[in-house]
Amino acid sequence: MIAVKPLLEVDDLTVDYDADAGAVRAVDQVSLQVAPGEFIGIVGESGCGKSTLLYAIARLLSAPATIAGGSVRLKGRDLLAMDEEALREIRWRDYSLVMQSAMNALNPVLTVGAQLRDTIDAHDAIPKEESPNRSAALLRMVGIDPVHLKSYPHQLSGGMRQRAMIAMALVFTPELVIMDEPTSALDVVAQRSLMLQIKELQRRIGFAAIFVTHDMSLVSHFSDRLAVMYAGQIVELGKTRDLFDDPKHPYTRALMQSFPSISGPKATLQGIPGSPPDLAHPPAGCRFAPRCPLVEPRFRVEPPAMVAIGSTLVRCHLYGRDH
Amino acid sequence: MAATIKQQPILQTVGLTRHFRVGSLLSRRYLHAVDDVNLTIGGGQVVALVGESGSGKSTIARLLALIYRPTAGEIFFKGQRLSERRSRRDVLEYHGRVPMVFQDPYSSLNPVYPASHALMRALKLHQPELSHPARRRAAEEILASVGLTPPATFLTKYPHELSGGQRQRIGFAVALACSPELILADEPVSMLDVSVRIGILNLMAELRRLKSVSILYITHDIASARYVADQLLVMYAGHVVESGPAEDVLAHPKHPYTQLLLSAVPDPRAPLTSMPAADVGEPPRVVDPGEGCRFRWRCPYAIDVCSTDTPRLRELRPSHTAACHVATSDMETARA
């Protein structure tokens, strides 16, 4: 479906966490392509592997997590084959990361300006004397008054800290910005404001974004495509509007029925019975089978394959050829 | 449901205020966490207290749970002043009638005991007359009523063997052990996965229906408040800025803050609403705030009087009040 050459190609990426009782497969054969300038949302519940997937793509995993298979290519270059030295070259320049908790990601004893300068100087991309101007411009771009270059992280509000993080991620205008729940620590007004700002920056600068969240309604108006993850696998991947208008996978449908709405008639919602599986012992067949309202005996033993319906990919037996 | 509402409120606060001293000895300042809150919870009623972090909603829960003493104002429990409850027996009795369910089910259960330990202890403390087998039976009944079935297996499980949703159900089971009249639920679903949140909200609705217990539901999520609550109170910077029947407040928000809050809620079913671009959700000033409306710095409708007079709650629609100098009343048209 993607006409242009993809910016990021993830193929069959698999990540294991080594544990005493054997490996836990947190990400299982995830394939995903991101086009230049595309905004893709990844949604799922805690423990579904969405953050692990991000860190694997960014090559930031550390023991006990290991990449057990698959490939990640950014602009055609194999990220998994690179050593730290090569990664240092492209990190922050070709892709950057915005973490969930800016309070933990920012250094509490350095000013915002010092941390921005650090990032800029690390790549020697611009003359040293220009970096203060560049820092001020970056802060202005994300809507923070440059006086805060002299502020310490604790002097900023949660929203401003996240904005500062985003400013940092955009220092070298990378082509890919990976965001791990950047708004989840914020109140709803600050959250909406930050989302609008991210979208505006994306439109202006043209970077592609991978945006991980547990709240699919948050990205509903912002992402081009949406991937729904469950128990380490992508179970549905399609255009955001298609997913909301016509969700295919029973899990996607159930997830949408889990959010009360502030408008429209008040309906009783059911949520999803049970809880996500233990990834150390995933169910043999479809991983959603134990909680699925449409399960058939065969689904509990045979793992479903990805099926294409129009531009949507769905991992569900109900759409299989022999169904 | 409305028929079960009794004449006398279960709990009422009058001018409830709590300030915290901040700063050093030389620069003593006061953080106004809660200012002049009047709250009424009737029998069998679910009241939602909605606000962002720092708005004072958890401080109210803690005042009602007797963790903090009010700086000013009074709490009435079924008409009786809480400040008069001083003896250990009286306080224990109150805790039994008004138990609290905590936000974090991962840290509110002791990991070295079975999850039912807290439940058995609560039963022992609040119903000491029960024999051991009777207590066990009571525990199983309660576990079944919060949806933990078969209850016998949940008596022996440890917290690490339970999911977040199950742990939070234990939290409600402990609250039920005390034969409560009002449960204080402080963000009971915010730490849970989205797919199990609804289950807990439905449990709250069921407890109200079957046991006619009142619930004070404290949340930052206005959509979930609408889902369970009859009454809605919106807090901003320690003040209640709007209150009324939940549906009426959502359909006809009067306070500019409520309007902003509603416009910011992501709703895939609604078209993307535009928000004042200048508002980035900066937290309010609550340290020595002085007179005036605390929302005025962010308010697009602020006028001179907003910075000199603190607005009082006015009835702008039937049983629907808002604290705003600018908001207009629908009462005339409603009466006509």
Side-chain angles (χ1 to χ4, degrees), chain B residues 68-253:
Chain B
Y68 299 146
R69 293 230 162 261
T71 306
E74 183 62 86
I75 304 167
F76 294 89
F77 176 63
K78 296 167 95 174
Q80 193 205 3
R81 285 167 187 276
L82 270 192
S83 56
E84 287 166 3
R85 286 189 180 237
R86 290 283 179 175
S87 75
R88 192 184 128 72
R89 231 188 91 206
D90 278 0
V91 170
L92 182 66
E93 204 249 333
Y94 175 75
H95 282 310
R97 300 272 170 241
V98 186
M100 186 155 170
V101 176
F102 297 95
Q103 176 172 17
D104 185 353
Y106 297 90
S107 64
S108 57
L109 292 174
N110 189 331
V112 302
Y113 288 111
S116 61
H117 180 72
L119 174 58
M120 298 303 270
R121 267 188 61 168
L123 282 170
K124 204 168 176 174
L125 204 56
H126 293 285
Q127 298 182 44
E129 68 283 1
L130 292 180
S131 66
H132 186 74
R135 194 151 62 229
R136 219 188 124 88
R137 272 198 305 280
E140 289 191 9
E141 246 168 66
I142 291 170
L143 286 174
S145 71
V146 295
L148 293 174
T149 50
T153 64
F154 282 96
L155 276 178
T156 53
K157 285 202 178 183
Y158 283 82
H160 73 267
E161 296 174 287
L162 303 176
S163 68
Q166 289 172 334
R167 286 182 212 211
Q168 204 54 301
R169 284 174 195 269
I170 295 274
F172 276 95
V174 176
L176 287 178
C178 321
S179 48
E181 296 186 53
L182 166 67
I183 295 177
L184 305 172
D186 188 3
E187 298 264 20
V189 300
S190 68
M191 303 280 285
L192 303 179
D193 268 323
V194 287
S195 72
V196 296
R197 279 183 194 174
I198 283 291
I200 297 292
L201 296 178
N202 285 343
L203 172 67
M204 284 173 28
E206 203 164 308
L207 293 180
R208 185 265 288 275
R209 195 166 54 84
L210 297 177
K211 304 191 185 273
S212 56
V213 56
S214 306
I215 296 173
L216 178 67
Y217 174 51
I218 294 175
T219 183
H220 65 278
D221 177 4
I222 202 163
S224 74
R226 177 197 185 211
Y227 187 72
V228 291
D230 319 303
Q231 292 287 318
L232 200 65
L233 282 90
V234 181
M235 285 198 75
Y236 184 78
H239 281 144
V240 171
V241 295
E242 183 151 6
S243 85
E247 288 299 319
D248 202 57
V249 171
L250 288 171
H252 308 281

Side-chain angles (χ1 to χ4, degrees), chain A residues 133-163:
Chain A
N133 293 334
R134 179 102 178 97
S135 300
L138 279 163
L139 281 197
R140 236 179 261 119
M141 186 172 71
V142 294
I144 302 180
D145 191 308
V147 298
H148 287 298
L149 282 173
K150 292 200 174 70
S151 297
Y152 289 89
H154 75 270
Q155 294 171 310
L156 306 180
S157 69
M160 278 161 81
R161 282 199 289 266
Q162 281 300 3
R163 280 160 203 275

